[in-house]
Amino acid sequence: MKALVYLGPQDKALQDRPKPMITAPTDAIVKVTRTTICGTDLHILKGDVPTCTPGRILGHEGVGIVEEVGAAVTAFKAGDAVLISCVSACGKCVNCRRQMYSHCTTGGWILGNSIDGTQAEYVRTPHADMSLYPIPPGADQEALVMLSDILPTGLECGVLNGQVQPGSTVAIVGCGPIGLAALLTAKFYSPAEIIAIDLDDARLDTAKRFGATAIVNSSDGHAGEAVMTLTAQRGVDTAIEAVGLPATFGICQQIVAAGGHIANIGVHGVKVDLHLEKLWDRNITITTRLVDTVSTPMLLKTLCSHQIDPTSLITHRFKFDQILDAYDTFARAAETKALKVIIEMA
Amino acid sequence: MKALVYLGPQDKALQDRPKPMITAPTDAIVKVTRTTICGTDLHILKGDVPTCTPGRILGHEGVGIVEEVGAAVTAFKAGDAVLISCVSACGKCVNCRRQMYSHCTTGGWILGNSIDGTQAEYVRTPHADMSLYPIPPGADQEALVMLSDILPTGLECGVLNGQVQPGSTVAIVGCGPIGLAALLTAKFYSPAEIIAIDLDDARLDTAKRFGATAIVNSSDGHAGEAVMTLTAQRGVDTAIEAVGLPATFGICQQIVAAGGHIANIGVHGVKVDLHLEKLWDRNITITTRLVDTVSTPMLLKTLCSHQIDPTSLITHRFKFDQILDAYDTFARAAETKALKVIIEMA
Amino acid sequence: MKALVYLGPQDKALQDRPKPMITAPTDAIVKVTRTTICGTDLHILKGDVPTCTPGRILGHEGVGIVEEVGAAVTAFKAGDAVLISCVSACGKCVNCRRQMYSHCTTGGWILGNSIDGTQAEYVRTPHADMSLYPIPPGADQEALVMLSDILPTGLECGVLNGQVQPGSTVAIVGCGPIGLAALLTAKFYSPAEIIAIDLDDARLDTAKRFGATAIVNSSDGHAGEAVMTLTAQRGVDTAIEAVGLPATFGICQQIVAAGGHIANIGVHGVKVDLHLEKLWDRNITITTRLVDTVSTPMLLKTLCSHQIDPTSLITHRFKFDQILDAYDTFARAAETKALKVIIEMA
Amino acid sequence: MKALVYLGPQDKALQDRPKPMITAPTDAIVKVTRTTICGTDLHILKGDVPTCTPGRILGHEGVGIVEEVGAAVTAFKAGDAVLISCVSACGKCVNCRRQMYSHCTTGGWILGNSIDGTQAEYVRTPHADMSLYPIPPGADQEALVMLSDILPTGLECGVLNGQVQPGSTVAIVGCGPIGLAALLTAKFYSPAEIIAIDLDDARLDTAKRFGATAIVNSSDGHAGEAVMTLTAQRGVDTAIEAVGLPATFGICQQIVAAGGHIANIGVHGVKVDLHLEKLWDRNITITTRLVDTVSTPMLLKTLCSHQIDPTSLITHRFKFDQILDAYDTFARAAETKALKVIIEMA
């Protein structure tokens, strides 16, 4: 089969690879019909993710059709249309019992990382019963691809950890795909204000179109002050960090109100300064999280009932044999205005 | 009246001062019968608390007898025996309505800070209805002094924010009075393991006597590794920071388990390193808090029902005219083994 | 001044009454500008509320202008435009400290019940600092009248107690004003399905217009079966009882899913059957509540940010001298299609 | 093998039965070493549990040694010492994903009910990975038998649903084994008062020995008044119903304080009166629950750390060939003072 293979830093290729086979009774083999590219795939290509070694098929998002299931799989059978979660969960280890599937002792985020992923014609999905979801009849296939990773990540790491409530003031620091996913899912809870912050005016325009009530271009280095002005010096109830840099985490510390929340989504490569000399008495909460995808059933319900339109995140569409173009378009997002790209296999 | 007055960095004296008077209808004047000294008072004496200016009567803990109340005070009358909370709360501002009394817009921690405090024969207590508590008949007066600040601080900032649960593994980093208060109140929730960490063997002995299940002397710089060994490399569910230094906050980051909590109590003077490059995907929560004293009614019930014995924190007793000796004893805690000192006025 | 006075069962009149005066330092006198009539006022007029005795001025909702404040009132002054909450709260008693203002030991629902109310040119509001709210600049006065009682009641007793979540299936049993208020505020949380149940097709039409995804006319006695069919025999996550009769509480028991919630809002006059023989192992939660109005600040924020349009509940408008007509219109709601009526004083 | 078989109402026998075999890849066969008898087994023997048909081997509690596992079982292997949970959970159905294991679509309480149970030399346990627990080294085997059902039931249905907190006032209505299990686990949370209510003075004595702070014999029909007197007419924060009769559920309604909780554990055979005409405005919560055994990992930790001594519930011990005597002793608890009986297989 064809597969997009990581060959080492800055190196990837569309190669022929053997079709995967069931290796554990809880596995399924899924024929992928649509996949996408994640910012994390770009991190891998920079050589930043040591668990992902050369030769790995990338990708941890997608939808498809079950081709074959192992002997212990009871929830799915060949022919079922399924959503593939970016997190594989056994459901029974000490962490899965706490619904912290991201830290499943035999799973977590392994697809396209420590095992082969979804940017291929077929993928082996471990712990299939807990890690695939039946596609509801009539659901939009492209919208569903957004439920593999980006929407549960925005919702769980940003919105739920940030405890967004009706009437809240929310700041979203970073309006790339993940920040916009946080914005879309924050609206489930009817916040009063959503302040979008980014360096790029085009992304801020998109944020506004998605429902931001105010936008702040942070390129002048004064985003913190701007947010304090917008909030009459009170600060925000929830600051969602969706970049992963010391500077953006710093903005969050500047703008969080007493009693507020900093919900980190960003993947950080270096330590940050935490200004406890200013924050020790401010009654704030800081959270980190790798998405658990525990909200996927909820998201499926909101999708089917039209509480959210995930296709608004999709800017480009490619056929699988154009996947190198897709990577290029996605990597040059500032120029191409790419958010999420859909890659169709057939 | 006699009062202990802050005169500037390293300078204090027992002076004669006019008896305070009612200045707002919500005030009460309380004749102090017992008070104590807090680590924060030592911070003030180092010049570290700019809101506290020379001439200020120190002290934010104590019990006494109501002498007089303002026209709007309905819950207390002259002659009532009362506990004085370290936090003054109007009960009606935007923050009090959220029960974040520490950030009351006309109160918070002001006693012995921005207004005169309790290390005096009399004290004016603003917002008396919300900031005094009736002393239950038969309650131990000395025990009650521990409910002004140290026990609600240990409970709220450490135990409740740290979400200690039956069966939890808890680490307490720093076994001074505040760390020990966290230890005593953690036991309300029946954790399985309480690991006490300190540089001082005497304090670790005390922690063990108070119920710690393991102790770690951190003077060799390897406390983090020791805790990981004790927990079979899993780490702790809750790490309570009760010191206020980068190094101790660093230990908390080393030992917190995936899905765990770092509950900061310590007063920090400088920023700390937050290792988001290691923690971004660990599903942890970090909290800061100035005590709200919202748990005082609960603590009064646990005191009266003998669920806790706060007098175990008391190591020394002085008369008010010996308060300079009391300060000396408290400041030289490493030698004197002082935890909390009771100062009796009469 | 003119006032609508309860004279005993089935008897009321618009009378001249002395203007109220400050009687406690925490009181305010408010010149009422707009008020409304509540279903509870009709209960009083049936003689069903023994705490309300003949001679009482009715009404517990409204907006107005502060005329005078007592010596202990600090948050308001003469001339301030205010929202009057249906619940008076001292903020400092044992129940107010738990934010259960409905059970304030010197307040609760007393306006137009055990003390004179808002259907008058002036009203004395006890505990003014906690029981009045400043009107945000530019806010719609009529919309605000809906925040005195009906919206916090629908939200707190129905939606919050019923734990409505994104993706939930919600049933609202009874689509009078209070059920519709629950429907409007349920939408804050983006439920997937809202099933409205009533005997009256006109009210069901209104429910549909307000966002119900399905409607069930219960006049055939088979509403329970209809809801089970609509939910593929799973039942609903949240059943909100907004009537107050054994039959409607019975429907809730029929349709609540395992793990679901029955949130009672209705005022019940007689006991009901609770089918524990069927429900003991169904992991359900049943709640009752008198509104605490603890959500009023949140509702003000959602109003100002256009997350909700409370004026959709208003069907009729009257001048104060037409208040007997207003009562008549409101009492004959089945014919007049009345939901909430606005009574303007000037 | 020998097994205790239900033969129809009032009829049971110790019979020879074939040893069970693996029928699904997720099954295990466990050689039972110790089991016990539950009040529910007596219900079955009265003919009250229609899902349990004649020919069924009874019993849903016990410990043992894994004999054999199915192909999909990964957490256990032959020779492992295990605790058998009363609830079988697949871990992956819609209800298990919500941790409502009691309503697992292919499990729940099925052992000794719709499939053969643990009062036998061997038992087949479905969904073994989620429904067995490794026995910690050195743990007391008899104590562990109390973790199959009675302790998680008391804790989850009574204490957790009843939201027992430090300083709470708790009433336990019914001091049979399940009420006493609620009492033992309530102490995890350091309530101030535990009021035990029963008709039997011997059980009340036991309750006192287990930590009840007050006891009320309800045989005079005035238990409600007695509790109100004990609580200065305030009522209790949590009323735990551990009987399953209209009268005892009625006591709970009489004594629950405003803002309080009624946590039902009892198995009810008939409907009860719910006095909503008195409770609609009292801000109370009523819960029902079939134990989910979601707390078993927590209970194992509290057992190993000596936060609880479940053996205090054990009053009698029998060998398996005396199981008919054990049933007789357990059934005549009023005379024999039996609480839990241990049945040892070997």
Side-chain angles (χ1 to χ4, degrees), chain B residues 118-187:
Chain B
T118 59
Q119 293 170 6
E121 291 179 72
Y122 295 88
V123 63
R124 179 178 69 87
T125 58
H127 300 314
D129 275 339
M130 285 292 289
S131 312
L132 301 175
Y133 293 83
I135 293 190
D140 181 313
Q141 303 278 320
E142 293 191 346
L144 283 161
V145 176
M146 304 299 110
L147 268 67
S148 289
D149 178 348
I150 190 164
L151 284 177
T153 296
L155 175 58
E156 295 175 18
C157 308
V159 176
L160 294 178
N161 271 11
Q163 297 188 27
V164 176
Q165 292 297 325
S168 287
T169 299
V170 180
I172 296 178
V173 183
C175 296
I178 195 66
L180 293 171
L183 196 164
L184 284 178
T185 53
K187 289 161 64 187

Side-chain angles (χ1 to χ4, degrees), chain C residues 41-52:
Chain C
D41 296 323
L42 302 184
H43 278 289
I44 291 173
L45 284 165
K46 285 184 190 143
D48 286 350
V49 181
T51 45
C52 186

Side-chain angles (χ1 to χ4, degrees), chain D residues 10-336:
Chain D
Q10 318 302 343
D11 200 4
K12 63 183 178 297
L14 191 59
Q15 296 188 338
D16 264 309
R17 290 285 292 266
K19 192 178 151 184
M21 291 185 307
I22 298 279
T23 61
T26 47
D27 284 349
I29 303 298
V30 179
K31 180 171 172 22
V32 180
T33 54
R34 281 177 184 80
T35 186
T36 181
I37 306 171
C38 179
T40 310
D41 296 323
L42 302 185
H43 277 290
I44 291 173
L45 284 165
K46 285 186 189 140
D48 285 351
V49 181
T51 45
C52 185
T53 50
R56 177 72 61 240
I57 300 174
L58 295 183
H60 50 268
E61 298 161 281
V63 294
I65 306 291
V66 173
E67 182 87 359
E68 185 188 356
V69 297
V73 174
T74 60
F76 299 98
K77 61 180 191 306
D80 286 350
V82 290
L83 165 67
I84 304 165
S85 177
C86 65
V87 162
S88 304
C90 74
K92 60 197 186 189
C93 71
V94 63
N95 290 326
C96 283
R97 278 170 184 271
R98 301 166 64 189
Q99 305 198 298
M100 192 165 64
Y101 303 143
S102 58
H103 290 72
C104 173
T105 55
T106 59
W109 172 44
I110 55 175
L111 275 187
N113 175 4
S114 57
I115 67 169
D116 285 337
T118 59
Q119 293 169 6
E121 292 180 72
Y122 295 89
V123 63
R124 179 178 69 87
T125 59
H127 301 313
D129 275 339
M130 285 290 289
S131 313
L132 300 175
Y133 294 83
I135 292 190
D140 182 312
Q141 303 278 321
E142 293 191 347
L144 282 161
V145 177
M146 303 299 111
L147 268 65
S148 289
D149 178 350
I150 191 163
L151 283 177
T153 296
L155 175 58
E156 295 176 17
C157 308
V159 175
L160 294 178
N161 272 11
Q163 298 187 26
V164 175
Q165 294 296 324
S168 287
T169 298
V170 180
I172 296 177
V173 183
C175 296
I178 196 66
L180 293 170
L183 197 163
L184 285 177
T185 52
K187 289 162 64 185
F188 286 154
Y189 295 93
S190 308
E193 307 292 337
I194 304 177
I195 303 170
I197 302 164
D198 203 290
L199 293 163
D200 181 317
D201 282 332
R203 291 197 154 176
L204 289 171
D205 283 349
T206 304
K208 194 139 203 184
R209 192 157 43 79
F210 279 30
T213 56
I215 56 176
V216 171
N217 187 307
S218 54
S219 54
D220 64 359
H222 296 295
E225 292 88 329
V227 171
M228 293 309 285
T229 301
L230 281 168
T231 58
Q233 302 306 316
R234 204 187 71 82
V236 301
D237 300 307
T238 302
I240 297 177
E241 209 280 358
V243 180
L245 292 173
T248 44
F249 194 81
I251 292 173
C252 293
Q253 296 179 63
Q254 278 182 274
I255 66 179
V256 65
H261 304 268
I262 298 176
N264 187 78
I265 313 178
V267 178
H268 291 259
V270 296
K271 70 182 181 186
V272 303
D273 287 339
L274 176 63
H275 289 284
L276 281 184
E277 81 281 12
K278 291 178 187 162
L279 295 173
W280 72 268
D281 65 351
R282 294 282 287 167
N283 297 38
I284 67 156
T285 303
I286 300 169
T287 54
T288 72
R289 189 169 184 179
L290 183 63
V291 64
D292 294 301
T293 65
V294 72
S295 67
T296 306
M298 174 202 278
L299 282 163
L300 281 165
K301 290 181 193 167
T302 59
L303 177 68
C304 293
S305 60
H306 309 293
Q307 300 295 325
I308 192 169
D309 176 13
T311 61
S312 54
L313 287 165
I314 302 170
T315 53
H316 295 76
R317 288 166 180 84
F318 297 88
K319 296 290 175 189
F320 186 42
D321 56 14
Q322 303 166 308
I323 191 169
L324 294 174
D325 294 339
Y327 262 94
D328 179 66
T329 298
F330 184 67
R332 294 185 300 109
E335 295 156 57
T336 62

Side-chain angles (χ1 to χ4, degrees), chain A residues 17-255:
Chain A
R17 289 285 291 265
K19 191 178 152 185
M21 291 185 305
I22 298 277
T23 61
T26 47
D27 285 350
I29 303 298
V30 178
K31 180 171 173 26
V32 179
T33 53
R34 282 178 182 79
T35 185
T36 182
I37 305 172
C38 180
T40 310
D41 296 323
L42 302 185
H43 278 288
I44 291 173
L45 284 166
K46 287 186 189 140
D48 286 350
V49 181
T51 44
C52 185
T53 50
R56 177 74 61 240
I57 300 174
L58 295 182
H60 50 269
E61 298 161 279
V63 294
I65 306 291
V66 174
E67 181 88 359
E68 185 187 357
V69 296
V73 174
T74 60
F76 299 97
K77 60 179 191 307
D80 286 350
V82 291
L83 165 67
I84 303 166
S85 177
C86 65
V87 162
S88 304
C90 75
K92 59 198 188 189
C93 70
V94 62
N95 289 327
C96 283
R97 279 170 183 272
R98 301 166 64 190
Q99 305 199 296
M100 193 165 65
Y101 302 143
S102 57
H103 289 72
C104 173
T105 55
T106 58
W109 171 44
I110 54 175
L111 274 187
N113 175 3
S114 56
I115 67 171
D116 284 338
T118 58
Q119 292 170 6
E121 292 179 73
Y122 295 88
V123 63
R124 180 179 69 89
T125 59
H127 302 313
D129 275 339
M130 285 291 289
S131 313
L132 300 176
Y133 294 82
I135 293 191
D140 180 312
Q141 303 277 322
E142 294 192 347
L144 282 161
V145 176
M146 303 299 112
L147 268 65
S148 287
D149 178 349
I150 191 165
L151 283 177
T153 296
L155 175 58
E156 296 176 16
C157 308
V159 176
L160 294 178
N161 272 11
Q163 298 187 28
V164 176
Q165 293 297 324
S168 287
T169 299
V170 179
I172 296 178
V173 183
C175 296
I178 195 66
L180 293 171
L183 196 164
L184 285 178
T185 53
K187 288 161 65 185
F188 286 155
Y189 295 94
S190 308
E193 307 293 337
I194 303 177
I195 303 170
I197 302 164
D198 203 289
L199 294 164
D200 182 315
D201 282 332
R203 289 198 156 176
L204 290 171
D205 282 349
T206 304
K208 195 138 202 184
R209 193 159 42 80
F210 279 30
T213 57
I215 55 177
V216 172
N217 188 309
S218 54
S219 53
D220 63 0
H222 296 294
E225 293 88 328
V227 172
M228 293 309 284
T229 301
L230 280 168
T231 59
Q233 302 305 318
R234 204 186 72 80
V236 300
D237 300 307
T238 302
I240 297 177
E241 208 283 356
V243 180
L245 292 172
T248 44
F249 195 79
I251 292 174
C252 293
Q253 296 179 62
Q254 278 182 274
I255 65 179

Side-chain angles (χ1 to χ4, degrees), chain C residues 76-100:
Chain C
F76 299 98
K77 62 179 191 307
D80 286 352
V82 290
L83 165 67
I84 303 166
S85 177
C86 65
V87 161
S88 305
C90 74
K92 59 199 188 188
C93 70
V94 63
N95 289 327
C96 283
R97 278 170 184 271
R98 299 166 64 188
Q99 305 198 297
M100 192 165 65

